[in-house]
Amino acid sequence: MSLLTLENITASYGASQALFGVDLTLDEGEVVALMGRNGMGKTTTIKVICRLLKNQSGTVCFAGQDISSYPSHRAARLGLGLVPEGRRCFSNLTVWENLMASARQGHWDFDRVANLFPRLQERSSQYAASLSGGEQQMLAIGRALMTNPRTLILDEATEGLAPVIRQEIWKAIAQLKGETGLSILVVDKTLKELALVADRAVILERGKSVWRGQFQALSADVADQYLGV
Ligand code: ATP
């Protein structure tokens, strides 16, 4: 059985429907890329998984439980670690304080996060507000890891960052996959980098999952049809 399963999910913002049938699975130790053009429902799907938005129909199962009726804190406690779009950290806390604020018992502690992102070690006593965008993104990933999740969900983690920093983040994601066997759901627009880490892909088109398969099986035609601009 998959660690995370979404079946035929529909969801709305008030009167405006955003998801029209999303199916998705994520297995233990797997990296799945959630893709689609702007506005196709990627962030909304993530919100439904993390219970920040209620689905209208369909089911969300995680770690063997139907979490469709859970509030977000309960879903988080089960092991859903979200790195939200826009890298939200506490700007008036230091790097160390930010990490400690989300700490929970388990494999991940300050030293392990600092080892993954040496820049955070160097800046541990700096306020988050004084970090560069890329460093804040690393801190956001570090905060999610400190909760010791079973699944890490990354929403546009490399968007708007300098190429060197993006590389560092992709390297960290590859390291997480290889060394810790964490299952990861990653939303990103850069096909080339996704290809280095993703096992499978799910493509959304107007709120529906229209293509699912092995990442390697994603043809140029399919990419063009659903991801091209
Ligand atoms: P992007 O790549 O631009 O982040 P996305 O694939 O993540 O796009 P969503 O943000 O999930 O797309 O948006 C899906 C649809 O829901 C869009 O039509 C969007 O306009 C709409 N939508 C998103 N957030 C809200 C909201 N808070 N209220 C109303 N409609 C929303």
Side-chain angles (χ1 to χ4, degrees), residues 13 16 18 37-44 47 85 156 189:
Y13 295 99
S16 135
R37 282 188 288 256
N38 288 340
M40 292 305 175
K42 303 178 298 292
T43 297
T44 305
K47 283 186 188 162
E85 203 173 10
E156 308 263 14
K189 292 199 180 75

Side-chain angles (χ1 to χ4, degrees), residues 46-75:
I46 286 177
K47 283 186 188 162
V48 165
I49 295 171
C50 297
R51 311 316 301 158
L52 297 166
L53 181 69
K54 282 200 172 114
N55 47 303
Q56 281 167 322
S57 58
T59 50
V60 186
C61 290
F62 181 66
Q65 299 184 31
D66 181 346
I67 64 167
S68 307
S69 64
Y70 285 21
S72 59
H73 61 87
R74 196 164 164 209

Side-chain angles (χ1 to χ4, degrees), residues 46 49-50 62 75-84 104 140-141 143-155 182-185:
I46 286 177
I49 295 171
C50 297
F62 181 66
R77 220 180 303 134
L78 257 189
L80 282 168
L82 173 64
V83 181
R104 277 203 336 220
I141 297 172
R143 292 190 59 217
L145 289 172
M146 289 293 281
T147 68
N148 277 289
R150 292 180 70 175
T151 292
L152 188 66
I153 302 179
L154 298 159
D155 194 358
L182 193 64
S183 66
I184 304 174
L185 182 66

Side-chain angles (χ1 to χ4, degrees), residues 63-160:
Q65 299 184 31
D66 181 346
I67 64 167
S68 307
S69 64
Y70 285 21
S72 59
H73 61 87
R74 196 164 164 209
R77 220 180 303 134
L78 257 189
L80 282 168
L82 173 64
V83 181
E85 203 173 10
R87 52 187 100 100
R88 271 162 239 134
C89 301
F90 297 113
S91 52
N92 57 342
L93 295 184
T94 66
V95 167
W96 190 83
E97 287 166 341
N98 261 283
L99 291 172
M100 285 311 162
S102 61
R104 277 203 336 220
Q105 284 282 316
H107 173 85
W108 288 97
D109 55 16
F110 177 82
D111 289 344
R112 286 209 158 95
V113 170
N115 194 39
L116 184 69
F117 294 120
R119 281 161 182 268
L120 295 183
Q121 170 94 61
E122 290 157 24
R123 288 161 175 69
S124 64
S125 57
Q126 262 179 245
Y127 287 108
S130 72
L131 300 178
S132 72
E135 290 159 358
Q136 287 187 28
Q137 186 64 66
M138 292 172 191
L139 181 56
I141 297 172
R143 292 190 59 217
L145 289 172
M146 289 293 281
T147 68
N148 277 289
R150 292 180 70 175
T151 292
L152 188 66
I153 302 179
L154 298 159
D155 194 358
E156 308 263 14
T158 66
E159 197 178 30

